[in-house]
Structures are given as structure tokens and as C-alpha cells.
Amino acid sequence: MATERALRDGAPASAEGPGGTLQTASLVRVLERDPELGLRVPATHITEARTTLVAPVSRLDRGLWEVPTQRGAGGGELGYLLLEGLLARDLILAGRTCTELLGEGDLVQPDVSVASDESLVRYHVLWHVLAPVKVAVLDRGFSQELGRWPQVMRALLERAIRRNLRTSIHAALLQLSPVETRLLVLFWYLAERWGRVTPRGVSLRLKLSHELLGQLVGCQRASVTTALRRVVDSGLVVRQSDRTWLLLGSPPHEYAQLQWQDRSALDGEPEPFPQRHAAIHDVDDRLGAMRLKQARRDGAPLA
């Protein structure tokens, strides 16, 4: 899996193994691929920064990612910057699996997550590629060049802090009750990263199996299936024909107490949840940040 600095000259790295392992690599200018990292670099130096901050870009096929366990042994000195795709980090503890989803812009350091014999609480971490991934390998050469650009180093640190905050929000989400509330908040939590505002509502373009949803909300698959039926019956979430999701209304408020009707009340004509519904213009007002992110990603203003 070794990726040498010769890649600066355009030489590809060797492919290794089937799904979940690093495939043929080429070079990428990190600040061109992820402009947000260079926003603090002075305009007089940004061209030089874009030219010097170069890293190998590698591909991961669907499957288990066999992560290098030593820095410099085919891995990133500073980790990996996700350029595209979808990655799942499964932490297995006492027979239960908790999953975190990672996507474009996330900075990950898989080698520091490997279970250690020194830990009193034994756990195990697995990385799964859910959709083909491209990563910039922030190797030793990149690390050495980064020393010249503290503004970019600060931006990378903020990425790591941002991910830590999302992890805290996810942990708080797991405290919500009942499971229906947990699922609804999870959908909106994921929509901040992977949602798109449409005339009908917020489209969440993730195909999430009931098993994966269970790992994301800390429940057994059967419980998720039952709770998900109630969430869909409420009219707050629509399961689309392509197995993705459409979120209606507005995101749950910090202090909102969602009330779920008994299943028997939903056997006839489902009643809406008026306190959770809102017009589309209300959704747009509340999701201004999401629209800005989407416009920046697409390179064009939203209609």
C-alpha cells in the first residue's frame, strides 16, 4: 500500500487487492479540490499554497477498508481527507455496533482508532466503504509542506474539532426517547450534510437500510422497523421509490417535545402532526446554512 513521494512527478501508485483497499493513486492539489481549507491564506500566496500542498489521491471500492496500522506504512501521516464517497466507522462494544457516517470534507485518522491491548474497555473498529471513496492521503511529504501554511493547518484542525462536535451531537441523539424521535432527529442531522432543498421538502439522498439505521440510533433492527413505520405514517418523512428519504416540515427545535400517537390511532386515517409541519418557505428560512453549503458545492445559486 506504500505511496511514495514520487507521485509528485505523476507516477501512479500500485493497486492492491479487491474492495476496501487502496486502488491506483494519482496526485491532487488539495486546496483546489477543497477550497475551504485555503480561505485564510493571503491572496498573494494562495497560488503557491495550491501548488505546494499536493497529496496522493487514492480510491476505495465498496467493502471493508483494511487500514494501515502504522504511520508512514502506506497511510497518511496526518490522516485522510475524504474527497467524495461515503464511509462508515463501526465501533463494536459488548456485542453492539455504533456507526458514524463520514463523507466529503471529513478528516479521518483511522490508525488511532484501532483497539489497543492497553484499553481496559475492549472494543473493535471496522471501516466500511458504503459508496466508492476517494481520499487525499496526507502523507509525510504533505505534512512537511504544511508547516509553511499555518492557516491551512488551522483549517484542518477545525475540521477535526467539527467532527468531534458532530460526534457529541450524535451521542446526545442516542439519549432521545422514544425511538421515533431518535429517527426523526437523525434524519435531520444527516440532512445537514447530505440533504438537498427541493420544492417538495428536503431530499436526503442516502439509501439507509434498517440495519444501518439501527446502528445509527442504537436500536435493534426490529425496533427500527416498527418505529420507522410510525414516523412515515405521521407524514413527517416520506420513503421514496428509490429508497431515499424526503423530509417534510421543519427541523426539530432544541426544546421541542414530539408526541407520537399510539399505533391504534394510526390504523385508520393517519392524522398529521400540525405542530411539526411548516410551509416550504419556512423550511427555506430555517435551512439557510444548508442552502449555502449546497450552492457552494454545486458552484451555482439555488433557485
Side-chain angles (χ1 to χ4, degrees):
M1 291 188 186
T3 304
E4 302 295 338
R5 187 67 348 205
L7 287 171
R8 284 189 177 278
D9 300 325
S14 59
E16 184 171 333
T21 56
L22 292 175
Q23 299 288 315
T24 304
S26 57
L27 283 179
V28 63
R29 291 184 174 182
V30 174
L31 298 191
E32 288 184 357
R33 192 61 187 268
D34 193 337
E36 186 183 57
L37 293 176
L39 290 179
R40 294 192 183 94
V41 177
T44 54
H45 295 93
I46 188 62
T47 300
E48 183 182 2
R50 289 170 179 163
T51 302
T52 58
L53 289 176
V54 179
V57 56
S58 296
R59 294 169 176 81
L60 297 167
D61 292 332
R62 297 178 194 270
L64 185 65
W65 182 12
E66 298 291 346
V67 182
T69 56
Q70 294 181 348
R71 295 180 183 273
E77 181 81 8
L78 296 179
Y80 303 84
L81 179 66
L82 269 67
L83 303 177
E84 61 182 62
L86 187 64
L87 191 62
R89 176 181 180 271
D90 293 343
L91 192 146
I92 304 169
L93 175 66
R96 299 294 295 272
T97 301
C98 180
T99 297
E100 174 190 9
L101 296 181
L102 300 107
E104 180 181 343
D106 280 321
L107 179 65
V108 298
Q109 295 176 303
D111 56 321
V112 301
S113 299
V114 176
S116 170
D117 292 337
E118 297 179 1
S119 176
L120 293 179
V121 178
R122 300 299 300 275
Y123 62 92
H124 188 63
V125 174
L126 294 175
W127 293 83
H128 291 276
V129 180
L130 302 181
V133 162
K134 285 184 180 179
V135 294
V137 184
L138 307 185
D139 59 5
R140 184 165 300 170
F142 180 89
S143 177
Q144 291 171 346
E145 293 288 351
L146 186 62
R148 300 174 51 199
W149 307 104
Q151 304 94 338
V152 179
M153 191 180 302
R154 178 182 173 186
L156 286 170
L157 178 60
E158 288 176 352
R159 287 283 177 88
I161 294 173
R162 200 180 306 165
R163 181 184 164 201
N164 186 62
L165 174 60
R166 290 199 304 268
T167 301
S168 299
I169 295 173
H170 193 179
L173 180 157
L174 296 177
Q175 304 300 313
L176 298 175
S177 183
V179 180
E180 289 84 353
T181 298
R182 226 178 292 174
L183 281 168
L184 182 62
V185 175
L186 173 74
F187 282 133
W188 282 104
Y189 166 78
L190 296 176
E192 187 172 349
R193 293 287 308 281
W194 291 283
R196 300 181 68 85
V197 178
T198 74
R200 295 179 58 208
V202 177
S203 177
L204 179 58
R205 307 297 296 176
L206 292 178
K207 297 180 180 180
L208 305 171
S209 67
H210 289 198
E211 181 179 6
L212 180 56
L213 283 171
Q215 292 171 190
L216 288 167
V217 298
C219 291
Q220 297 291 341
R221 178 176 177 174
S223 299
V224 167
T225 299
T226 301
L228 190 58
R229 188 180 303 119
R230 297 183 69 190
V231 174
V232 171
D233 286 344
S234 74
L236 299 176
V237 176
V238 176
R239 182 74 180 268
Q240 303 189 97
S241 58
D242 61 355
R243 294 171 47 224
T244 61
W245 309 88
L246 183 70
L247 311 184
L248 304 178
S250 55
H253 190 272
E254 176 184 4
Y255 299 108
Q257 292 290 328
L258 298 181
Q259 302 297 323
W260 300 94
Q261 295 165 309
D262 292 336
R263 181 65 206 168
S264 57
L266 296 174
D267 289 338
E269 189 69 22
E271 296 183 16
F273 287 60
Q275 72 274 22
R276 299 300 311 132
H277 281 278
I280 282 295
H281 62 80
D282 293 330
V283 175
D284 288 350
D285 290 342
R286 289 172 178 260
L287 298 181
M290 181 189 298
R291 292 172 63 82
L292 286 175
K293 291 179 183 178
Q294 181 175 323
R296 183 169 57 194
R297 182 172 62 242
D298 296 342
L302 296 176

